[in-house]
Amino acid sequence: VIRKSKFLEYFGKNSLIILGTHTVVLMLLPGIIKRVNGDSGGVIYQNDILINGVILFLITIIIEIPIIYIINRYFGFFLGRRL
């Protein structure tokens, strides 16, 4: 039903890297966002959990792209790949 998508293929092929690194990114993001916004309250919007989730997802995906590149380029042996 879904046509071929290079975007989804990229994240599918690199899902092991995402699985191993997304928790660290998600643990650091709220602190970074609070510092940037100067908030002492919620992550971004205190009242809208759905918006928080979508924004955190998008930021996490954007941060994961360079992590995927670095691991594939320099640390492929972690995944059983030859350099």
Side-chain angles (χ1 to χ4, degrees):
V1 176
I2 299 175
R3 294 188 177 119
K4 271 197 158 192
S5 168
K6 289 188 179 193
F7 180 77
L8 292 177
E9 279 185 34
Y10 177 77
F11 286 107
K13 288 179 182 178
N14 294 294
S15 60
L16 185 61
I17 297 170
I18 294 169
L19 180 67
T21 59
H22 81 280
T23 304
V24 175
V25 172
L26 284 174
M27 288 171 48
L28 296 175
L29 271 179
I32 293 169
I33 291 171
K34 282 181 185 179
R35 281 198 181 251
V36 170
N37 287 342
D39 281 348
S40 59
V43 175
I44 295 166
Y45 301 106
Q46 292 180 353
N47 298 329
D48 202 337
I49 295 170
L50 179 61
I51 291 176
N52 280 345
V54 170
I55 291 172
L56 287 176
F57 168 75
L58 292 174
I59 293 171
T60 303
I61 289 298
I62 291 168
I63 292 172
E64 287 290 335
I65 292 171
I67 293 172
I68 290 168
Y69 174 78
I70 290 168
I71 290 176
N72 282 331
R73 178 81 167 110
Y74 301 107
F75 301 103
F77 56 88
F78 286 149
L79 305 170
R81 297 180 185 146
R82 292 182 183 222
L83 293 176

